[in-house]
Amino acid sequence: MDCPSEEQMIRMKLVDLTNINSLDFDIPNRQLTVFHTDNHDQIFKRLDNLKFDTSLIDSVLADNYTSATDNTAKERKLLWQVLAINFFFFVLELTTGFISNSMGLVADSLDMLADSIVYGLALFAVGGAMTRKKNIAKSAGYFQLTLTVFGFFEVIRRFIGTENDPAFQTMVTISILALIGNGLSLYLLQKSKSKEAHMQASMIFTSNDIIANLGVIVAGGLVYLTNSKYPDLIVGTIMFFIVGQGALKILNLSK
């Protein structure tokens, strides 16, 4: 479970098995504890189909099992907050990216969109509501993948064209604001001290976004120092590649 989306993939793979009472994810140690009735053959078969190199560690009776309590309302409120932050910066970076002629900002905006999708899927995970996630993941994944393809074509066009250099001031300013937004999201997530896997996965995603924001800031500085559009296009290409990978992983959630 190195990727935040893998936990969602596992949940949706097992969602319709009525003999499962709960799932306990240990992301750092890549372990999953399944509390279930009947035998585990069907559960293991479905997990093995995900090609995560699944192996059975042990199968024991869970005496005095009780379902873990959760803070559903609190988690939902928190996830709505970080979703709103990310979607706001998706719109802001996409708009200012085109205005400032920066592919780095446009690509980073799609990364923000990917996070919004993940937070939205995590909202369905809170309290165990999983049945609508496949259709949402499929639509969101195709939408993001389509935007990524258009982004790659635009980068290629600008590499061979005579576009004006991007406005580095806008690149740096908006990226700093996005960095503050991601920092706030990470603070809110860490403040919750939640051990739920979907919350831990959200923290990983947000931490990666902070690195992406710093990359766009560096690109803006290099645009200024070199008086060239190429640092922005190179960072944009890298970001579009990352976003494309994220889109494919989101599409895997719908299978």
Side-chain angles (χ1 to χ4, degrees):
M1 291 169 287
D2 294 327
C3 170
S5 66
E6 290 183 11
E7 181 250 340
Q8 307 288 359
M9 293 171 67
I10 292 171
R11 286 184 179 275
M12 286 197 293
K13 198 70 174 178
L14 303 178
V15 67
D16 60 337
L17 293 182
T18 57
N19 65 322
I20 293 179
N21 293 320
S22 68
L23 303 175
D24 183 11
F25 289 83
D26 182 356
I27 292 179
N29 293 316
R30 295 183 60 81
Q31 291 184 7
L32 167 64
T33 302
V34 183
F35 294 91
H36 63 91
T37 57
D38 302 326
N39 62 62
H40 62 263
D41 294 342
Q42 184 65 19
I43 298 172
F44 185 82
K45 182 178 179 181
R46 293 201 179 190
L47 292 174
D48 196 41
N49 286 338
L50 290 172
K51 307 300 182 184
F52 288 162
D53 193 23
T54 308
S55 61
L56 178 65
I57 298 176
D58 200 0
S59 180
V60 297
L61 290 175
D63 295 329
N64 301 319
Y65 166 79
T66 56
S67 180
T69 58
D70 57 33
N71 297 311
T72 300
K74 183 178 179 181
E75 286 188 4
R76 282 189 180 278
K77 180 180 179 181
L78 173 59
L79 287 170
W80 274 116
Q81 289 174 338
V82 294
L83 187 153
I85 291 171
N86 278 267
F87 191 77
F88 169 78
F89 279 104
F90 156 64
V91 175
L92 179 64
E93 286 191 309
L94 185 66
T95 303
T96 55
F98 281 114
I99 292 174
S100 66
N101 214 29
S102 170
M103 283 289 93
L105 278 179
V106 172
D108 196 41
S109 76
L110 296 187
D111 192 38
M112 288 290 197
L113 175 62
D115 295 343
S116 299
I117 294 170
V118 170
Y119 291 133
L121 292 174
L123 274 168
F124 283 96
V126 176
M130 304 290 294
T131 55
R132 297 175 57 191
K133 289 175 65 176
K134 288 187 179 182
N135 288 335
I136 294 173
K138 182 181 291 185
S139 300
Y142 279 125
F143 177 67
Q144 185 179 332
L145 191 60
T146 300
L147 292 178
T148 303
V149 171
F150 278 114
F152 272 123
F153 278 115
E154 181 65 14
V155 167
I156 293 172
R157 187 186 72 81
R158 295 190 181 204
F159 258 116
I160 62 179
T162 56
E163 295 288 330
N164 294 328
D165 293 344
F168 73 90
Q169 301 98 325
T170 304
M171 288 179 64
V172 173
T173 301
I174 298 300
S175 294
I176 289 175
L177 291 176
L179 182 65
I180 294 172
N182 277 318
L184 176 60
S185 296
L186 186 60
Y187 168 74
L188 291 172
L189 290 166
Q190 290 178 337
K191 185 180 178 182
S192 72
K193 298 181 181 179
S194 174
K195 299 300 181 182
E196 291 292 325
H198 55 270
M199 300 294 284
Q200 294 289 319
S202 298
M203 292 183 202
I204 295 172
F205 245 60
T206 304
S207 298
N208 292 338
D209 291 340
I210 290 175
I211 297 175
N213 296 146
L214 292 172
V216 179
I217 292 172
V218 170
L222 290 175
V223 167
Y224 169 71
L225 292 174
T226 63
N227 197 29
S228 169
K229 64 184 178 181
Y230 294 114
D232 173 64
L233 293 178
I234 291 171
V235 169
T237 301
I238 295 171
M239 290 294 298
F240 277 126
F241 179 75
I242 294 172
V243 171
Q245 284 187 317
L248 293 176
K249 289 173 182 176
I250 290 173
L251 283 173
N252 281 333
L253 298 178
S254 64
K255 295 181 179 179

